[in-house]
Amino acid sequence: MSESKKTCTIRENSKSGPKTLEKRGIEALQSESKCNKKKKFEWWKRSVIYQVYPRSFRDTTKNGVGDIKGITSRLPYLSSLGIGVVWLSPIFASPMADFGYDISNFTAIDPIFGTMEDFDNLLQAAHDLGLKVVMDLVPNHSSDEHEWFQKSLAKEDPYTDYYVWSNASGFDEVGNPLPPNNWISVFGGPAWKWVEGRQQFYLHQFLEKQPDLNFRNPAVQTEMQNVIKFWIDKGLDGMRIDAIKHLVEVEDLSTDEPLSGDPNVQDPNEYGYLTHPYTTNQPETLDIMRQWRILLDQYPDSKLLMAEVTYSGEEIDLVMKYYGTEEEPIADFPFNFNFIDNFHNRSDVTGFSLKFTVTEWLDNMPAGKWPNWVLGNHDQTRIATRMGKDLVEALNMMTLLLPGTPVTYYGEEIGMEDTFVSFEDSQDPSGCIWGPDRYMEFSRDPERTPMQWDNSTLAGFTDGPSSWLPVNENYVTLNVAQQEAADQSCIKNYKQLTTLRKAEVFFSGELAFPVITNEIFSYVRF
Ligand code: GLC
């Protein structure tokens, strides 16, 4: 997200130095939850999670947009990679203002991706191959085209208070309504939109087309529980909770958020112009998520619950709260974005900064919980571009062999790079909003371009005449087929590592860092 594309300095751990052999026991990571008999060593602890961005994976309908059948056709490929969980970014009904993160029906498949039958077939085919499937739950907001919002606009009960509505705080000299407070949308500009019909503002922490649901309304909580049940009853293996920190806002909507004073943010329309103590991480959010955990724990098999919390490294204590406690677990893990947050350039990468990043998570994680390692996703510059092409294999190796669950973004197994996308070809609203001069600071299109399967036209992503985002020009040499055929390659390395990490030793024992210097990062598992 735009809030995270900022530079950040690594806090080096001055105590680290050459030849320190520091042991970290990870037996505790395996400890059984006392209050949940079912919780053994769950399947997701042994698995690698692979994120598919459906629009960009494989198009079977020649319209230039990836689809469900395309994903199903590549399940054998995913299985051959040795991953265990396929996480699909949203494929639900959506006007696609935010490419599926604006949902107009939480329990329907968008026709651009296929049908419910296509989804059922995908799930069955994945399960037949021993793969689990996880999808996004996007609870913070719906599309403004969702029936609930349309009925809320019309004040039709019980939908009247399904969204966060507020009266104007006053009117200016020419009669324009003034919003209740100074809140800014994550994508930029005011977070409030006036609606003539209701003579009220509604809150949108993302796009205007993504009105915030009102989780202080118990009926909304029930609706979202029903959405979870719908998909899990179909056989889904878990959910990735989107933008969870935004779920609930302070009750008193006249509360302004403080200025951040960040010298790098001069534009008052930028999210970083303010800090966000009243729109993020409210205590009620954890209570609501805890209910989702309880709901999932009623199913006989373990269901995975992952939470997207924040990219702000300063908020590590807040992030850790989303694990819950041993007695009252919440998420199986909040995503560990420290490899994204701490590394913005090749020069940020040193033995010290890597060690700091690894230990920062392990040292702050609550007792009995399980780590995870994320190198990239659909909101962030790819690792090859951010941390260096020459480091991709080493970074994959590092995350695949550390204690915990690694998360791979599609294309990272071959070292795909960001793609230049001109303003004219840009699709991502979070970039386009800023116009031709600034769109590249915020656009997420470069990391969302089509999967590079082979060196045929459009990289084997589609048999149609074009693709929704341009294919990276390097596809001719950087593609799956080429790397499969080579003696040595990123993908071959990746497969060897996923095979290696199935060994029992990777799920217990100790972790130590024998040599750490500026140039060397090393660790041992024993
Ligand atoms: C999350 C998603 C991002 C989306 C936003 C709004 O951060 O990862 O892609 O734009 O939520 O739903």
Side-chain angles (χ1 to χ4, degrees), residues 16 361 386 450 516:
S16 316
W361 192 267
R386 190 159 31 87
I516 301 290

Side-chain angles (χ1 to χ4, degrees), residues 1 98 101 141 187 206 210 240 242-243 308 378-379 444 448:
M1 292 185 306
D98 189 19
Y101 284 94
H141 43 265
F187 292 148
F206 293 88
Q210 293 168 298
R240 173 258 190 194
D242 180 74
E308 182 206 29
H378 63 295
D379 294 329
R444 300 165 295 180
R448 295 178 175 181

Side-chain angles (χ1 to χ4, degrees), residues 224-374:
M224 209 44 73
Q225 288 175 1
N226 290 339
V227 172
I228 296 175
K229 274 193 225 150
F230 176 88
W231 291 106
I232 301 289
D233 286 347
K234 270 189 158 296
L236 197 72
D237 301 295
M239 307 204 91
R240 173 258 190 194
I241 312 293
D242 180 74
I244 186 68
K245 72 172 177 177
H246 298 277
L247 199 72
V248 180
E249 301 74 38
V250 71
E251 218 160 355
D252 177 1
L253 295 178
S254 68
T255 318
D256 278 346
E257 292 200 312
L259 301 182
S260 68
D262 182 343
N264 298 317
V265 185
Q266 299 297 336
D267 186 338
N269 279 314
E270 254 185 71
Y271 190 63
Y273 196 73
L274 303 177
T275 59
H276 306 284
Y278 303 120
T279 51
T280 61
N281 297 311
Q282 301 302 297
E284 293 86 349
T285 301
L286 292 170
D287 299 338
I288 293 166
M289 246 195 107
R290 168 84 187 126
Q291 296 311 311
W292 299 341
R293 168 86 274 158
I294 290 170
L295 173 64
L296 291 180
D297 283 350
Q298 285 163 11
Y299 287 82
D301 304 327
S302 297
K303 300 292 177 186
L304 174 61
L305 193 60
M306 326 186 268
E308 182 206 29
V309 183
T310 188
Y311 291 92
S312 172
E314 277 73 49
E315 294 182 336
I316 191 140
D317 293 344
L318 280 173
V319 175
M320 293 298 171
K321 290 209 166 98
Y322 287 81
Y323 270 116
T325 60
E326 280 201 89
E327 289 71 29
E328 298 202 324
I330 303 181
D332 289 307
F333 49 78
F335 280 129
N336 171 359
F337 291 141
N338 291 0
F339 278 111
I340 294 173
D341 192 47
N342 289 348
F343 299 96
H344 294 262
N345 296 298
R346 179 70 174 76
S347 59
D348 292 335
V349 187
T350 67
F352 294 112
S353 60
L354 289 169
K355 184 192 167 196
F356 170 82
T357 303
V358 171
T359 54
E360 186 188 23
W361 192 267
L362 297 178
D363 290 351
N364 284 287
M365 196 175 63
K369 300 295 179 182
W370 189 252
N372 71 100
W373 311 100
V374 181

